[in-house]
Amino acid sequence: MPPRIKQMLPFLHWPRPGAALLRGEAMAGLTVGLMVIPQGVAYAQLAGMPLVTGIYASMLPALAAVLFSASARLSVGPTALTSLLIYASLSPLAAPASPEWVELAVWLALLSGGMQVVLGAARFGWLLNLVNSPVLMAFTQAAAVLIISSQLPALLGFRVGWAEMLRSPSLDALAAAFGLGALALLMLARRWRPTFPTVLVIVVTAAALSWALGVEANGGAVVGPLPGGLPAAYLPGWPGWHMLGQLVLPTLVITLVSFLETAASAKVDSQRKGERWNQDQDLIGQGLAKIASGFSGAFATSSSFSRSALNLYAGARTGWATVFSVLVVLAALLVFTPVLRHVPQAVLAAIVVAAVVGLLKPREFVRLWHISRVEAAIAAITFGITIAAAPALHWGVLSGVLMALSYFLYQRLHPRIIEVGLHADGSLRDRDLWRLPPLAPHTFALRMDSALDFATASQFERQITEHLTLHPATRHLCLFAQSINRIDATGAETFARLLSQLHQRRVTLHLAGMKLPVEQVLLAAGVLAPHPLLHIYRTDAEALAALRALTEAAQNDPADLPAMAI
């Protein structure tokens, strides 16, 4: 089979299943499957979808992802952050859980999945680098705050919303007991027994207690009846161009954020296997998972970091673990849905809060402040905008990306250009910072730690011109070019203009350590033609030796120095 086909079908690389392998994979799949069932229902509620769609989103999407993704050990299905983005995106457009809402959520899944497949097929995975770590960290923590705040009323047994509670409080003490008790048990179990199916045990126990206490009969908030059986194929109606246009921006954000969730898990998986992460193939697999979810009548999926970590912790070695996990979810869909009917919604809220509370890491802002105050400020503003713009969360991540790109552009337009001197340890360092003497009399030696292109050429030319104007006695300009790794047409034109200016001033240019790609561009531009005032050295050591000779000559006959050229 051609290598390209095998790369597009990663499941062909799975090992032949043996008894020992399948036993281990079955145990890992059982562990994750028992966790994803109640989580899927809880995340469907967070997304404003019919609760059974959370189970639907844990079946075919997981199979599609594991078959066509390079990272076969990731757990794909509903996640808290993607669910919140769906709810925030559709809140202005339809009523939660209504047919219109479901239809729009399906369109979000199809559009986002299609975009990921196209990006992966075109090998555009590098676009993920547009979101840096501080922006993602701030947006994730802001989203976690919003998720927790949205679940607190159900968790604490509020009978009314936040605003009404301030005027006339009304609490359901039994619901609060279910919610807080479940949350406490989940947090304790995560620390002591992470592989134990605590979520499922709590759900079953809560359902039994709720049935025994007659919570539903007394008007308590429970899951309610869920349809049984397999999901039917869902074909959404055409929403119209206007409505589709309103889904474009949410689609972009869901595509970006959900795949960044995947990246967090996939990088860990690849490091453990000692392999390079194939981000483009994972884009295709994750996109196909979203498309499968949409045609199942469910919502956009993503890779769950917590479930993927649990899958690895439970000993999963291949994608067979996910196959067993899907079989567990399928069995639960056929026989377990009557039990879910009696689960208090406060317990679902506890499941969501327990899953996202680990995303709250305020110390990350402090750590970032010590690393880069500018990036810390960008992260803080991203956090604030995300909170303030809720439910339009996309403004948070978009503003963060814009600020990060602006800062990146500012740095590119202001490259680090320093005058260097010879340090006592033999290295070339910043003259002003280390108070070093010049390398030679009447010599300006500099280094630019950047590419010489359209973004930096102006600053490079300005710094040299200003120095020559302020120091008219300068007779030698030495450029240590090892750190210049690229040059474009603008850079070549600027270099030619500077060389002409230096020749007019009778200033000798010394070029040291120029890289071959840069040299080839300058040769093609006709800039490096032999000239008495141009000297090229392969290494910095050769240039330093020549400058030492210049210094010795100046000491022997200072009067002749301005007219000398090496």
Side-chain angles (χ1 to χ4, degrees):
M1 184 176 294
R4 177 62 177 163
I5 299 298
K6 293 189 70 174
Q7 183 179 353
M8 294 172 61
L9 304 175
F11 61 88
L12 295 177
H13 297 280
W14 292 4
R16 187 184 299 271
L21 175 65
L22 290 181
R23 276 196 300 271
E25 300 298 272
M27 289 305 299
L30 179 64
T31 302
V32 175
L34 293 178
M35 181 180 184
V36 75
I37 298 164
Q39 272 197 350
V41 175
Y43 292 154
Q45 179 175 267
L46 179 61
M49 294 288 287
L51 301 188
V52 73
T53 61
I55 302 179
Y56 296 164
S58 307
M59 296 170 56
L60 287 180
L63 274 180
V66 77
L67 290 174
F68 296 98
S69 294
S71 305
R73 297 191 292 179
L74 302 188
S75 176
V76 175
T79 63
L81 187 53
T82 301
S83 297
L84 177 66
L85 288 172
I86 293 168
Y87 186 89
S89 302
L90 300 182
S91 292
L93 306 178
S98 66
E100 294 80 10
W101 182 285
V102 173
E103 185 173 85
L104 293 177
V106 167
W107 272 108
L108 276 178
L110 296 178
L111 292 172
S112 178
M115 179 173 292
Q116 286 191 332
V117 170
V118 170
L119 290 175
R123 300 192 176 278
F124 271 29
W126 56 267
L127 285 173
L128 296 174
N129 297 328
L130 291 177
V131 181
N132 63 7
S133 178
V135 170
L136 180 61
M137 178 272 293
F139 176 76
T140 302
Q141 295 208 45
V145 170
L146 293 172
I147 291 172
I148 293 173
S149 64
S150 71
Q151 298 302 302
L152 282 180
L155 180 71
L156 301 177
F158 289 9
R159 297 183 186 274
V160 292
W162 283 105
E164 291 80 359
M165 281 293 295
L166 296 176
R167 293 195 298 268
S168 55
S170 178
L171 284 173
D172 184 340
L174 186 58
F178 271 113
L180 295 176
L183 180 61
L185 291 174
L186 288 168
M187 299 302 293
L188 289 174
R190 174 185 292 177
R191 175 173 298 181
W192 291 340
R193 294 289 299 275
T195 59
F196 186 75
T198 309
V199 178
L200 186 67
V201 172
I202 289 174
V203 165
V204 173
T205 304
L209 288 174
S210 173
W211 174 79
L213 296 173
V215 172
E216 183 179 10
N218 294 323
V222 296
V223 169
L226 296 176
L230 297 176
Y234 185 95
L235 296 176
W238 177 248
W241 288 110
H242 175 71
M243 183 64 72
L244 209 62
Q246 291 183 282
L247 297 180
V248 170
L249 195 55
T251 296
L252 292 174
V253 175
I254 290 173
T255 299
L256 181 63
V257 173
S258 68
F259 194 65
L260 288 171
E261 281 188 297
T262 299
S265 302
K267 288 178 180 178
V268 173
D269 184 36
S270 298
Q271 288 170 359
R272 291 194 178 188
K273 292 190 296 183
E275 299 176 355
R276 184 183 67 85
W277 177 42
N278 188 343
Q279 59 188 11
D280 296 313
Q281 188 61 43
D282 274 352
L283 265 172
I284 294 174
Q286 294 291 321
L288 292 175
K290 286 182 172 63
I291 293 173
S293 186
F295 286 129
S296 300
F299 49 97
T301 57
S302 184
S303 294
S304 167
F305 187 83
S306 60
R307 293 197 302 269
S308 297
L310 179 61
N311 197 34
L312 295 175
Y313 189 79
R317 294 166 53 193
T318 68
W320 289 109
T322 297
V323 175
F324 282 107
S325 174
V326 171
L327 292 176
V328 171
V329 176
L330 174 61
L333 181 63
L334 296 177
V335 301
F336 189 63
T337 49
V339 177
L340 291 174
R341 169 175 184 160
H342 300 285
V343 178
Q345 292 192 5
V347 174
L348 297 184
I351 293 172
V352 174
V353 171
V356 302
V357 72
L359 298 177
L360 294 176
K361 300 176 182 178
R363 290 184 179 179
E364 287 297 305
F365 288 96
V366 179
R367 183 186 66 85
L368 185 58
W369 178 261
H370 292 304
I371 297 174
S372 171
R373 295 190 176 185
V374 174
E375 290 187 283
I378 291 174
I381 295 172
T382 300
F383 180 90
I385 292 177
T386 304
I387 296 291
L393 302 186
H394 52 268
W395 292 117
V397 68
L398 290 177
S399 61
V401 169
L402 182 60
M403 286 186 290
L405 290 177
S406 299
Y407 179 54
F408 170 77
L409 184 60
Y410 175 83
Q411 289 180 309
R412 291 283 287 111
L413 291 171
H414 297 79
R416 183 172 184 261
I417 305 174
I418 59 172
E419 183 179 2
V420 296
L422 189 61
H423 193 268
D425 62 7
S427 62
L428 294 171
R429 300 196 182 186
D430 190 332
R431 265 200 68 203
D432 293 334
L433 181 63
W434 295 93
R435 301 183 183 279
L436 302 174
L439 290 180
H442 302 286
T443 300
F444 180 40
L446 75 158
R447 185 184 72 218
M448 182 172 75
D449 300 330
S450 173
L452 182 55
D453 56 18
F454 71 96
T456 62
S458 177
Q459 186 73 12
F460 177 71
E461 182 178 18
R462 182 184 301 114
Q463 187 137 341
I464 293 176
T465 302
E466 288 179 355
H467 182 89
L468 295 177
T469 302
L470 294 175
H471 303 85
T474 300
R475 287 294 173 265
H476 298 273
L477 174 67
C478 184
L479 174 61
F480 292 93
Q482 181 69 28
S483 56
I484 301 177
N485 52 22
R486 186 176 59 84
I487 187 170
D488 65 1
T490 305
E493 292 175 3
T494 301
F495 192 91
R497 192 162 55 247
L498 275 173
L499 192 59
S500 175
Q501 181 182 352
L502 293 175
H503 290 170
Q504 292 176 6
R505 292 172 176 262
R506 304 299 298 168
V507 175
T508 302
L509 174 62
H510 306 271
L511 283 175
M514 185 167 48
K515 293 182 177 178
L516 182 60
V518 176
E519 183 178 7
Q520 288 176 333
V521 173
L522 293 177
L523 286 172
V527 178
L528 298 183
H531 193 280
L533 298 179
L534 175 63
H535 301 275
I536 300 176
Y537 312 95
R538 284 296 156 206
T539 65
D540 292 351
E542 291 180 20
L544 290 174
L547 292 177
R548 275 195 296 270
L550 178 65
T551 302
E552 293 171 0
Q555 292 172 348
N556 293 331
D557 192 1
D560 293 339
L561 179 63
M564 290 180 59
I566 298 176

